[in-house]
C-alpha cells in the first residue's frame, strides 16, 4: 500500500517522536558498545548490520519498539455522535494507550489536573476506603463529541486527573479529510462546554457549574501547549459566586508545525466578540420595537406571558428561540412518541431558590439538563420540541399558564390537515385541541377540553416567534392559525436567524448529541427486586409476620409491566388478556389475588418502597395476613438514552 508523500512524512514524524520518547537511540548506542566489547576479537574491527540487529533482537529492543508503537489494525470507525466517549487518558511520560487515533486528524488533548478552592467542601472529611461519599463528575461537549470524567470525591481540592482527546476538524468546509492547520482552527469558534455535576450519597444530582472554555489560546502558545486556571462560577442565583478553580492543560496533537502569534489569536477573538455584541444589540433594539407594537394592539397584552428572552443557568439572557433546534436522536429513539416518553422519564425539578417567594426561573442549556438528568418544565419542553422538529414535525414550544395561573411550558404540533396536538412534556400525554367558539349560543354543545392549560401568551421554535394577539388568551377559545397576523403577531424570521441560527453568534451553546444508556436493564431490575424483597421481609418481620415468596407468580407479572410501558410509549394497550388468563390459572380456587403496579423514574429501592407504603392499597398487599399468604414482587427497568429509565414495580399477594 503506497502512501501519499505528506502522509508518509507524517508517519515518519510520529515514529521518530515515539523512538526519541523511548530513548531508543541511547539504548542502541549502549548495546553497540557492549557488543563490540564482548563479541569482537581484538584483530577483527568490522561489525555487520546483521550482527547488530541480532544483538538488538536478543536484548528485546526491537520487540519493545514494536509493542510501544501499538498500531491499531482495526478499521478506524468514525465515532457515531450518539456514543458517549470515555476519557482517553495518556500522559507524555507513558505511551499512548491503544486508542483509535487517526494520524491524519488534528486533536486537542485536554487534561484536567486537579481542582482547588471548592470552599463549600472545606470541612468535608477524607472518605474512608469503600465508604460511599458525594462525588464530582465533569462532563464535556465539543463539536458533537461528549466525554465524562471519572467521579472523584467532593473535597476542597478535588483530585481530578483525566485526559480527553478532542478531534478538531471542519467538515463543513469540505476539508473533513485534511488535517486542520492553525489558521483553519482559529476560525473554529465552538467553545468546549464543561458542566460540573455533584452526585450525593443517595444518587441525587445537582448542577454545580457550567463553563464555556475558549481553547484557541493554545494556537498562539509555544509548542502548541498551554496551561490555564479556570474559575468556575455557580449557577442560577449564585452565578456571580465562585465555586472553585480547575487546572487545565491544553496540547495540540500532532504538535503544530507553525504557531500563530498571540496577537493574531487575541485579535480574532476580539473581532468575534464585537460582531456577536453588535448582532445581539440590534436584536434587542428590534425586540423592544416589536414589544411596543404588540402593546399598541391592546394595552391588556402587558399581562400576557410573552417571553422573548430567558435566563440560562449562568444568568445570561438569551432569546428563547436559541433554546430549540432540530435534534436527531440517531438510532436511540425510533418514534416521536418514544421521544416524548424519553423526555417524560427525565426527572422534574424546579430551579432551586434561596428563601421563599416566587418561582426562580432558569432555563438550562441542553448539556446541563442532560448531564443532571432533571430540569424544569421549560427544559423538558425545549428538548421535546427539538426532538419533534428532528422527526420532521412542525413543533412549537407554548408558554402560558396552568390552573391557578401557574406559569407553564408545553409543546404543540401542527398537522398538515390543521390538527393541533398538545404534548405535555412532563407526563408524555397528548391532547387534541378543538377550539370552542365564544360567539355560539349558550345552548350549542361545546367540546370540553381535557388538557390542563388555561392561557397561552406565545409560541416559538428555532425559526419563529409568535405573540398571541387574539381578544382572549384562554387556550380553549384560541385559534391556532399561525399565518393569520390578526391572531398571532410574528417576529421577523431574519431577525431571529441573525442571533439564533447555528454559528450566527459565538455566544450560542452548541447542541450536544444524545448518548446511549450505560445501564444494564436486567442487572438493575434484579438488584432493585432483591432489595425490595429484603425491605418487605424486614417490614413484615417488624409486624410479627412471616414472608413466603413465590417466584413463579413473580415471573408471571413481567408481561403486565411490559404492557404498561408499551402503553405509555404508544398509547396502545396490548397483551392484557394473556396476563389475566395466566394469573387465573396460577391462583388456586378459594384464593384471592391482589396486585399493585407503580412507576418511578429513579432507581433508589428504599425511596420507592417508602412511596409505595404511602398507598393504602399497596400497604394492604405488603402487610397482608391470612392462611397460605404468598407474596411476589416484580421489577422491570426500561432504559432510555442519557441513562434515563422508567422503573415499573408490581407487588402482589395471593
Amino acid at each position: 500500500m503506497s502512501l501519499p508523500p505528506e502522509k508518509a512524512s507524517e508517519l515518519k514524524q510520529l515514529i521518530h517522536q515515539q523512538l526519541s520518547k523511548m530513548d531508543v537511540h541511547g539504548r542502541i548506542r549502549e548495546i553497540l558498545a557492549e557488543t563490540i566489547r564482548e563479541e569482537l576479537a581484538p584483530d577483527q574491527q568490522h561489525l555487520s548490520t546483521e550482527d547488530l540487529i541480532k544483538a538488538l533482537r536478543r536484548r528485546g529492543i526491537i520487540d519493545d519498539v514494536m509493542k510501544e508503537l501499538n498500531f491499531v489494525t482495526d478499521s478506524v470507525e468514525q465515532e457515531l455522535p450518539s456514543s458517549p466517549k470515555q476519557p482517553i487518558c495518556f500522559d507524555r511520560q507513558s505511551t499512548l494507550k491503544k486508542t483509535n487515533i487517526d494520524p491524519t486528524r488534528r486533536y486537542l488533548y485536554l487534561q484536567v489536573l486537579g481542582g482547588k478552592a471548592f470552599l463549600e467542601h472545606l470541612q468535608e472529611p477524607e472518605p474512608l476506603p469503600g465508604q460511599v461519599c458525594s462525588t464530582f463528575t465533569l462532563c464535556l461537549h465539543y463539536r458533537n463529541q461528549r466525554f465524562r470524567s471519572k467521579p472523584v470525591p467532593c473535597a476542597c481540592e478535588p483530585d481530578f486527573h483525566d485526559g480527553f482527546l478532542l478531534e478538531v476538524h471542519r467538515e463543513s468546509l469540505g476539508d473533513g479529510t485534511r488535517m486542520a492547520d492553525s489558521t483553519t482552527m482559529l476560525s473554529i469558534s465552538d467553545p468546549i462546554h464543561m458542566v460540573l455535576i455533584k452526585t450525593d450519597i443517595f444518587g441525587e444530582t445537582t448542577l454545580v457549574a457550567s463553563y464555556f472554555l475558549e481553547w484557541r489560546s493554545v494556537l498562539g502558545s509555544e509548542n502548541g501547549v498551554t496551561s490555564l486556571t479556570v474559575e468556575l462560577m455557580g449557577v442560577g442565583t449564585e452565578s456571580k459566586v465562585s465555586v472553585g478553580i480547575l487546572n487545565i492543560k491544553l496540547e495540540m496533537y500532532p504538535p503544530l508545525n507553525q504557531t500563530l502569534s498571540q496577537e493574531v489569536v487575541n485579535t480574532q477573538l476580539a473581532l468575534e466578540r464585537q460582531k456577536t455584541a453588535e448582532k445581539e444589540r440590534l436584536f434587542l433594539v428590534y425586540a423592544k420595537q416589536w414589544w411596543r407594537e404588540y402593546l399598541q394592539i391592546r394595552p391588556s397584552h402587558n399581562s400576557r406571558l410573552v417571553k422573548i428572552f430567558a435566563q440560562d443557568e449562568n444568568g445570561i439572557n438569551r432569546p428563547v428561540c436559541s433554546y430549540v433546534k432540530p435534534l436527531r436522536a440517531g438510532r436511540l429513539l425510533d418514534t416521536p412518541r418514544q421521544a416524548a416518553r424519553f423526555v417524560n422519564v427525565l426527572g422534574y425539578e424546579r430551579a432551586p431558590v434561596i428563601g421563599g417567594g416566587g418561582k426562580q426561573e432558569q432555563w438550562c442549556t441542553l448539556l446541563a439538563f442532560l448531564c443532571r438528568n432533571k430540569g424544569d418544565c421549560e427544559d423538558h419542553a425545549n428538548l421535546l420540541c427539538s426532538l419533534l422538529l428532528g422527526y420532521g414535525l412542525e413543533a412549537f414550544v407554548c408558554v402560558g399558564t396552568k390552573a391557578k395561573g401557574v406559569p407553564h411550558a408545553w409543546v404543540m404540533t401542527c398537522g398538515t390537515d390543521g390538527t393541533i396536538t398538545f404534548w405535555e412534556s412532563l407526563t408524555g400525554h397528548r391532547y387534541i385541541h378543538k377550539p370552542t367558539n365564544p360567539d355560539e349560543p349558550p345552548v350549542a354543545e361545546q367540546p370540553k377540553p381535557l388538557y390542563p392549560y388555561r392561557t397561552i401568551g406565545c409560541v416559538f421554535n428555532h425559526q419563529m416567534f409568535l405573540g398571541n394577539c387574539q381578544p382572549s388568551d384562554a387556550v380553549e377559545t384560541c385559534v391556532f392559525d399561525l399565518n393569520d397576523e390578526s391572531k398571532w403577531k410574528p417576529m421577523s424570521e431574519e431577525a431571529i436567524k441573525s442571533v439564533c441560527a447555528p454559528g450566527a453568534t459565538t455566544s450560542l451553546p452548541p447542541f450536544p448529541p444524545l448518548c446511549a444508556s450505560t445501564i444494564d436493564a436486567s442487572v438493575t431490575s434484579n438488584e432493585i427486586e432483591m432489595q425490595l424483597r429484603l425491605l418487605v421481609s424486614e417490614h413484615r418481620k417488624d409486624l410479627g409476620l412471616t414472608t413466603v415468596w413465590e417466584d413463579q407468580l413473580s415471573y408471571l407479572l413481567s408481561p403486565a409491566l411490559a404492557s404498561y410501558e408499551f402503553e405509555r410509549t404508544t398509547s396502545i394497550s396490548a397483551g392484557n388478556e394473556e396476563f389475566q388468563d395466566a394469573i387465573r390459572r396460577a391462583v388456586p380456587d378459594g384464593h384471592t389475588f391482589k396486585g399493585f403496579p407503580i412507576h418511578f423514574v429513579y432507581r433508589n429501592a428504599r425511596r420507592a418502597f417508602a412511596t409505595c407504603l404511602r398507598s393504602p392499597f399497596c400497604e394492604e398487599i405488603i402487610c397482608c395476613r391470612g392462611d397460605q399468604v404468598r407474596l411476589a414482587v416484580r421489577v422491570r427497568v426500561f432504559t432510555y438514552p442519557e441513562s434515563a429509565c422508567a422503573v415499573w414495580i408490581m407487588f402482589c399477594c395471593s
Side-chain angles (χ1 to χ4, degrees), residues 123-376:
Q123 306 300 327
E124 209 107 327
E126 278 278 309
L128 299 166
Q131 181 190 358
V132 178
C133 62
S134 301
T135 57
F136 282 139
T137 310
L138 195 62
C139 305
L140 273 75
H141 167 234
Y142 177 69
R143 293 176 70 78
N144 247 11
Q145 306 160 70
R146 280 179 63 185
F147 303 86
R148 180 182 278 264
S149 73
K150 294 189 280 290
V152 298
C154 293
C156 182
E157 298 192 348
D159 187 26
F160 285 110
H161 275 283
D162 264 317
F164 307 96
L165 199 62
L166 283 58
E167 195 176 304
V168 186
H169 61 100
R170 191 106 203 226
E171 281 159 344
S172 57
L173 297 178
D175 313 350
T177 52
R178 264 210 355 243
M179 185 181 290
D181 58 9
S182 310
T183 325
T184 308
M185 288 192 287
L186 187 58
S187 68
I188 298 177
S189 60
D190 297 16
I192 298 168
H193 191 182
M194 304 167 74
V195 167
L196 184 63
I197 300 289
K198 178 184 172 182
T199 310
D200 70 10
I201 52 175
F202 305 109
E204 287 298 306
T205 53
T206 324
L207 178 62
V208 179
S210 168
Y211 183 83
F212 292 96
L213 176 69
E214 179 48 78
W215 58 274
R216 287 174 289 175
S217 58
V218 74
L219 300 175
S221 56
E222 209 179 332
N223 307 329
V225 180
T226 184
S227 296
L228 342 152
T229 49
V230 165
E231 184 178 18
L232 301 176
M233 304 308 258
V235 293
T237 47
E238 297 171 41
S239 60
K240 301 280 181 285
V241 184
S242 169
V243 290
I245 290 170
L246 290 180
N247 296 322
I248 285 176
K249 184 178 173 190
L250 297 174
E251 187 172 349
M252 294 312 303
Y253 186 86
L256 294 170
N257 300 331
Q258 62 186 86
T259 53
L260 303 168
S261 77
Q262 200 61 57
E263 206 178 327
V264 170
V265 176
N266 293 343
T267 309
Q268 170 74 13
L269 300 185
L271 275 171
E272 283 175 9
R273 277 195 294 271
Q274 205 179 324
K275 217 164 151 188
T276 295
E278 182 58 15
K279 282 183 177 177
E280 287 173 350
R281 187 188 68 79
L282 289 173
F283 182 76
L284 184 60
V285 170
Y286 170 74
K288 282 179 175 172
Q289 173 63 27
W290 183 92
W291 178 245
R292 275 197 296 275
E293 290 169 8
Y294 182 69
L295 291 184
Q296 281 166 5
I297 301 172
R298 256 181 228 97
S300 64
H301 283 180
N302 202 11
S303 61
R304 292 192 181 180
L305 275 179
V306 178
K307 196 148 189 60
I308 303 171
F309 294 94
Q311 276 197 0
D312 67 9
E313 67 266 28
N314 291 325
I316 294 168
N317 269 316
R318 299 204 282 115
V320 289
C321 298
S322 68
Y323 288 89
V324 172
K325 179 191 148 189
L327 181 65
R328 286 162 52 175
R331 301 193 184 277
L332 300 177
L333 296 166
D334 295 320
T335 64
R337 294 191 191 190
Q338 200 181 5
R341 177 61 174 153
F342 155 60
V343 175
N344 147 228
V345 297
L346 288 168
Y348 167 62
E349 180 183 77
R350 289 174 60 166
V353 58
I354 300 170
K359 175 186 173 196
Q360 161 69 27
E361 192 174 66
Q362 172 187 309
W363 292 30
C364 275
T365 53
L366 183 55
L367 185 69
F369 175 39
L370 294 176
C371 294
R372 194 173 51 146
N373 244 283
K374 58 185 175 189
D376 213 330

Side-chain angles (χ1 to χ4, degrees), residues 283 286-287 290 308 463-466 489-493 496:
F283 182 76
Y286 170 74
W290 183 92
I308 303 171
Q463 291 171 331
M464 295 164 80
F465 182 95
L466 302 134
K489 178 170 170 56
M491 259 195 183
S492 146
E493 289 191 24
I496 292 170

Side-chain angles (χ1 to χ4, degrees), residues 340 343-344 377 380-381 384 409-411 423-429 453:
V343 175
N344 147 228
C377 60
H380 285 80
L384 178 57
W410 67 97
V411 178
W423 303 63
E424 177 46 68
S425 57
L426 296 178
T427 60
H429 292 156
Y453 318 122

